[in-house]
Amino acid sequence: MSKKILVIDDNEAVRKSFILALEPTGYKVDVAESGEKGIEKVRNTRYDLIYLDLKMPGLDGIETLREIRKIDKDVAVYIITAYHDIFLDKIKNATADGLVFEIFRKPIYSDRIVSITKGVLDGTTEHKYH
Amino acid sequence: MKNKGYNRSSTGHESQIEPAPIILIVEDDEGLNQLINKNLQRAGFFTESVLNASDAIARAAEDRDMIMLLDYALADITCREVIETLTERRRMVPFIIMTGRGDEKTAVEMMKLGARDYIVKDQDFIGILPRVVKRVAGELDKEKRLFMAEEALRQSDARYRELFDAMKSGVVVLDSVDDGKDFVFKEFNRGGENIEKVKREDVIGMSVTEIFPGAKEFGIFDVFQRVWRTGKPEFFPAAIYKDRRNPGSWRENYVYKLPSGEIVAVYNDITERKLAEEKVEKAYKDLKETHARLMESQAQLIQSEKLRTAGMMAAGIAHELNNPLMGIINFAQYCLKHTSGDDRRHPILQDIEQETKKCIDIVQGLLTLSHMKQEGEKTYTNGSCATVIDRALKLLAYRIDMEDVTVTFHIEGEIPEIWMETSEIQQVCLNLLSNSLDALKDSGRKKIDIGIRRSVEFVEITIADTGCGISPENMQKIFDPFFTTKPVGQGTGLGLSVSRSIIEEHGGNISCESEPDIETRFKVLLPIKRKGEGI
Ligand SMILES: Nc1ncnc2c1ncn2[C@@H]1O[C@H](COP(=O)(O)OP(=O)(O)OP(=O)(O)O)[C@@H](O)[C@H]1O
Ligand SMILES: [Mg+2]
């Protein structure tokens, strides 16, 4: 059974970037254009890796993460953001509350998307050195 | 029995002469008394006659200027008793004794009693009497004048002494010893005592080098010697005097030579004045510094306000651009992957990828800039100077291109990362590069050379241009807030002052050298060790 990835981002170009970049890997990639829709998907499917945008209309990334953790506390979550300063406090709080996640800076190029993903899903430790 | 027939025997030039003394004739032989009287009057004396001792005492007791012509052998009491009685009454009347006995013993006795003279009553004594009286009167007059002169001298002495002592200044009179090798104190006034906290009597007779061991070092000793040699007065301006007794005080001396050959030093302790002056000076300096700091922080405020507005816009735009740029680069990379290397489109796709990366870098630069923080929320990280300069260059790439400037950038050897607020250092580089571009506007040769190298514990960034340069008189002002040579609207004069405060905050240093039209070089030194980290 192939591993499943969920990309939650309100920007279509970003969602497509992930789909295109991960196409050759054979992983199954789902996308959601909002936090709410993403949570819905997590409720129905078990994902191995979630890419999550921070700044989104409706639920933002951190709020979405809190909901996701209530459903699945093990799934690897990678927050990808261009500009996380305004979320700094929220991120700190989330860390303090024991929510586990990683942060990557946008934009991310194809090869990087692939290497991070493979690192997480196939157990290589590449992501530790970002 | 007064007679006014006396002519003053004065020589005329002394207008203040006392009235001539009355000659009190004390002789109990009435006939002789009259004879003497007549004779003396004839000689020009005021005379009075008494016939017995008690009358004589009564008269003599009057406070008048008189000479007693006293008979030795009076009937009632002896002439000795007359004198003693008067002495008891503290009345010293000069007297001449007339005696019938011409023996030595009487003479000695009388002189012991205080007689001015004595005269023996022989047959021609009446004749010589006026001469004797005149001589005694003359002597008395001389004595009196001498006394008055002495008195006047004493008074003037006392007056000057008073003046001398009442002066707040120290006044010292010195005499040379050993041909000017040293000087001893002849006088030392109360002003001096107060200033030096020494007693006059401990100083008089001592030498300058004993009392003021610091005098040579202080320089006043040379002045003493010079004044002593040349006789020319000298002013020795304010300087600090020090010795083991005196931890240091400000003195001001005026030294001159007296006709007697002695040296006088009049001096003042102006320590208090100096301290007050110093206080004022320091207060003024503090004020100036505070003012400069105020200007600087105001400048920073304006600059950071400008930047904040620009930064907020930039951040918004950059954020909006980030997502589409991520899309573009990934789409291009996808296409690249699915296009064979032979395909004509392959290199075009590569171009798209490259150009997009450039866009991404510019956006990153803008984002970094917009992160300029307020004090306290600065985020220091380890960063690479080369990266920072790269970003700054990218932000200026358009201008560099349009204005046809050649930029060279060389990195010498291994450059360690530096603990810095990246956005601020980038701001500095932007400021310096913008200044260079401005300076190159009208230059024939348009070159900017950027270098990074390690210099011991620092990373050294140099930005050199071939532009118009900075004149020596402007050189000292370029780091001042609001100093600009650029037209209104084109320069606020803040770039360098803000840059300097940023660099200094990083524990670094910024400097400039300029040879107009040849090379203007700014040098920035940034410490490799972060602030507070040991060496
Ligand atoms: N590379 C340079 N070559 C020649 N002159 C320079 C150079 N750099 C600075 N200056 C001089 O120093 C002045 C002050 O520079 P500064 O960057 O502080 O202000 P500005 O460039 O005039 O204005 P602002 O940077 O605020 O827009 C400039 O006006 C210019 O006269
Ligand atoms: Mg400038």
Side-chain angles (χ1 to χ4, degrees):
Chain A
M1 192 185 77
S2 80
K3 306 227 165 141
K4 292 199 191 88
I5 298 159
L6 174 62
V7 179
I8 308 173
D9 197 311
D10 61 324
N11 187 288
E12 198 187 351
V14 175
R15 297 197 299 270
K16 269 191 183 164
S17 294
F18 277 95
I19 293 171
L20 295 176
L22 293 171
E23 193 191 80
T25 63
Y27 299 131
K28 186 177 177 332
V29 180
D30 277 356
V31 293
E33 76 254 31
S34 72
E36 291 84 343
K37 291 201 168 130
I39 293 162
E40 205 46 48
K41 285 205 145 60
V42 174
R43 251 191 257 285
N44 299 326
T45 317
R46 216 201 143 273
Y47 292 100
D48 299 288
L49 171 61
I50 298 173
Y51 287 108
L52 177 59
D53 186 23
L54 262 189
K55 189 171 168 274
M56 293 181 292
L59 288 183
D60 67 33
I62 297 296
E63 288 156 355
T64 306
L65 173 62
R66 286 184 187 280
E67 292 306 314
I68 290 172
R69 282 289 175 237
K70 286 181 191 161
I71 303 161
D72 183 343
K73 57 184 197 323
D74 296 323
V75 59
V77 175
Y78 276 67
I79 289 175
I80 39 161
T81 178
Y83 182 53
H84 58 253
D85 289 40
I86 48 171
F87 291 96
L88 215 60
D89 286 343
K90 275 192 158 178
I91 292 172
K92 276 189 197 144
N93 288 339
T95 317
D97 292 349
L99 296 179
V100 180
F101 57 91
E102 301 275 343
I103 293 184
F104 277 97
R105 193 180 258 266
K106 270 186 198 174
I108 313 177
Y109 303 167
S110 294
D111 46 355
R112 191 97 169 100
I113 294 176
V114 172
S115 67
I116 295 169
T117 308
K118 280 189 168 159
V120 178
L121 298 183
D122 301 341
T124 56
T125 52
E126 193 272 350
H127 65 287
K128 294 258 159 79
Y129 300 100
H130 60 262
Chain B
M1 247 195 245
K2 277 188 193 169
N3 199 305
K4 315 255 163 157
Y6 177 73
N7 264 327
R8 285 186 175 176
S9 66
S10 80
T11 46
H13 66 264
E14 304 219 359
S15 53
Q16 255 190 327
I17 196 160
E18 297 279 303
I22 290 155
I23 313 299
L24 182 65
I25 305 161
V26 189
E27 171 57 66
D28 45 9
D29 180 333
E30 208 172 335
L32 186 58
N33 197 320
Q34 274 180 20
L35 198 62
I36 296 170
N37 199 339
K38 215 172 268 159
N39 226 307
L40 287 179
Q41 280 188 3
R42 205 175 300 135
F45 292 102
F46 288 116
T47 57
E48 286 179 25
S49 290
V50 290
L51 295 171
N52 55 54
S54 27
D55 280 356
I57 290 168
R59 280 289 167 80
E62 291 166 14
D63 187 15
R64 286 191 300 165
D65 205 11
M66 60 174 64
I67 298 173
M68 239 183 335
L69 200 53
L70 192 56
D71 185 17
Y72 181 74
L74 285 168
D76 45 356
I77 48 175
T78 65
C79 80
R80 167 184 287 273
E81 280 167 310
V82 172
I83 297 304
E84 278 169 359
T85 310
L86 284 173
T87 308
E88 262 165 41
R89 298 187 190 175
R90 303 194 183 284
R91 181 79 181 119
M92 311 291 269
V93 181
F95 61 99
I96 301 168
I97 292 292
M98 300 178 288
T99 173
R101 308 211 302 253
D103 61 287
E104 266 322 85
K105 210 175 140 241
T106 316
V108 172
E109 188 196 342
M110 287 305 101
M111 296 319 266
K112 269 189 188 154
L113 256 184
R116 286 281 165 173
D117 209 342
Y118 79 99
I119 185 160
V120 178
K121 293 178 181 165
D122 52 18
Q123 58 267 56
D124 16 81
F125 102 92
I126 302 283
I128 55 168
L129 195 56
R131 238 186 299 142
V132 173
V133 173
K134 195 173 235 158
R135 185 171 47 75
V136 170
E139 266 173 30
L140 283 170
D141 187 51
K142 230 184 258 163
E143 276 171 28
K144 194 157 162 191
R145 273 189 229 201
L146 195 66
F147 176 78
M148 275 178 357
E150 272 172 358
E151 185 58 27
L153 198 66
R154 250 194 311 279
Q155 275 177 15
S156 114
D157 225 42
R159 198 156 50 232
Y160 283 114
R161 180 91 232 166
E162 194 60 35
L163 214 71
F164 182 69
D165 274 341
M167 273 174 82
K168 258 194 88 189
S169 304
V171 182
V172 166
V173 180
L174 301 167
D175 207 0
S176 77
V177 284
D178 272 357
D179 207 24
K181 277 214 188 65
D182 204 346
F183 297 87
V184 290
F185 289 92
K186 298 296 254 192
E187 271 300 351
F188 195 76
N189 75 338
R190 212 149 36 221
E193 287 186 324
N194 290 338
I195 294 173
E196 304 301 349
K197 313 266 178 297
V198 293
K199 283 253 172 305
R200 178 176 180 275
E201 54 269 31
D202 296 336
V203 167
I204 300 297
M206 302 290 280
S207 76
V208 168
T209 46
E210 281 169 319
I211 302 293
F212 296 112
K216 282 196 173 151
E217 203 183 320
F218 178 56
I220 192 71
F221 202 83
D222 288 344
V223 177
F224 288 163
Q225 287 183 321
R226 240 189 344 263
V227 171
W228 182 75
R229 245 187 291 111
T230 64
K232 276 204 201 101
E234 276 191 38
F235 176 66
F236 187 64
I240 293 183
Y241 175 78
K242 247 192 229 163
D243 61 35
R244 58 187 135 71
R245 197 163 36 86
N246 186 338
S249 44
W250 284 89
R251 298 286 166 78
E252 198 174 66
N253 274 268
Y254 181 74
V255 183
Y256 61 96
K257 191 177 183 180
L258 292 176
S260 65
E262 292 162 324
I263 298 288
V264 179
V266 180
Y267 69 100
N268 290 305
D269 186 294
I270 53 166
T271 309
E272 261 168 51
R273 193 179 88 203
K274 278 284 173 188
L275 287 181
E277 275 173 12
E278 268 166 26
K279 258 190 211 144
V280 170
E281 227 163 79
K282 192 180 169 306
Y284 177 66
K285 221 179 105 205
D286 285 354
L287 201 69
K288 247 168 80 177
E289 265 168 28
T290 312
H291 182 243
R293 265 205 300 280
L294 209 67
M295 289 284 282
E296 212 164 289
S297 58
Q298 189 191 11
Q300 280 185 39
L301 219 66
I302 291 172
Q303 176 91 341
S304 64
E305 190 51 44
K306 253 176 35 178
L307 283 171
R308 212 187 359 250
T309 324
M312 260 151 60
M313 262 174 66
I317 294 167
H319 183 74
E320 291 313 314
L321 286 177
N322 248 316
N323 289 329
L325 284 171
M326 176 159 166
I328 294 170
I329 195 139
N330 277 287
F331 301 160
Q333 286 171 337
Y334 180 83
C335 293
L336 264 175
K337 212 170 238 149
H338 295 277
T339 311
S340 100
D342 310 331
D343 197 313
R344 284 193 298 124
R345 284 166 296 189
H346 195 270
I348 309 288
L349 284 168
Q350 275 178 330
D351 287 346
I352 294 177
E353 188 191 18
Q354 279 319 302
E355 295 309 308
T356 311
K357 276 186 175 165
K358 271 189 207 161
C359 289
I360 287 169
D361 279 346
I362 291 170
V363 165
Q364 288 304 313
L366 275 173
L367 272 175
T368 316
L369 247 193
S370 73
H371 287 194
M372 283 285 280
K373 302 279 167 30
Q374 296 293 305
E375 193 64 51
E377 53 172 20
K378 295 195 171 170
T379 46
Y380 280 78
T381 49
N382 268 322
S384 139
C385 290
T387 310
V388 168
I389 291 173
D390 251 346
R391 287 216 192 111
L393 280 173
K394 285 209 171 87
L395 287 171
L396 291 170
Y398 180 74
R399 263 194 84 182
I400 293 172
D401 223 35
M402 284 297 287
E403 292 168 21
D404 220 6
V405 176
T406 314
V407 177
T408 49
F409 184 8
H410 53 90
I411 301 170
E412 278 175 40
E414 278 295 305
I415 309 295
E417 290 203 322
I418 281 181
W419 186 247
M420 63 177 162
E421 169 65 291
T422 327
S423 58
E424 291 193 340
I425 300 300
Q426 183 179 324
Q427 179 62 35
V428 172
C429 297
L430 262 177
N431 287 342
L432 295 180
L433 289 167
S434 306
N435 283 346
S436 287
L437 286 172
D438 290 343
L440 287 167
K441 220 160 232 159
D442 301 316
S443 301
R445 208 161 49 97
K446 298 189 180 199
K447 277 189 184 165
I448 297 177
D449 182 53
I450 307 165
I452 307 181
R453 60 189 201 92
R454 187 183 174 142
S455 165
V456 202
E457 293 303 319
F458 292 87
V459 167
E460 179 189 291
I461 302 171
T462 52
I463 295 179
D465 64 64
T466 53
C468 61
I470 301 161
S471 69
E473 67 264 29
N474 282 348
M475 193 51 115
Q476 1 211 340
K477 302 186 220 151
I478 55 169
F479 291 102
D480 292 349
F482 303 113
F483 175 78
T484 181
T485 55
K486 292 167 194 172
V488 181
Q490 284 186 34
T492 52
L494 292 176
L496 286 179
S497 74
V498 168
S499 299
R500 188 175 60 179
S501 30
I502 290 173
I503 296 302
E504 284 174 357
E505 214 162 275
H506 279 77
N509 173 275
I510 180 167
S511 59
C512 174
E513 283 168 26
S514 178
E515 207 178 325
D517 294 319
I518 311 272
E519 186 184 73
T520 299
R521 174 185 294 263
F522 278 84
K523 187 162 90 180
V524 173
L525 287 172
L526 286 167
I528 293 166
K529 293 267 156 54
R530 50 199 269 194
K531 258 197 259 176
E533 216 178 46
I535 299 161

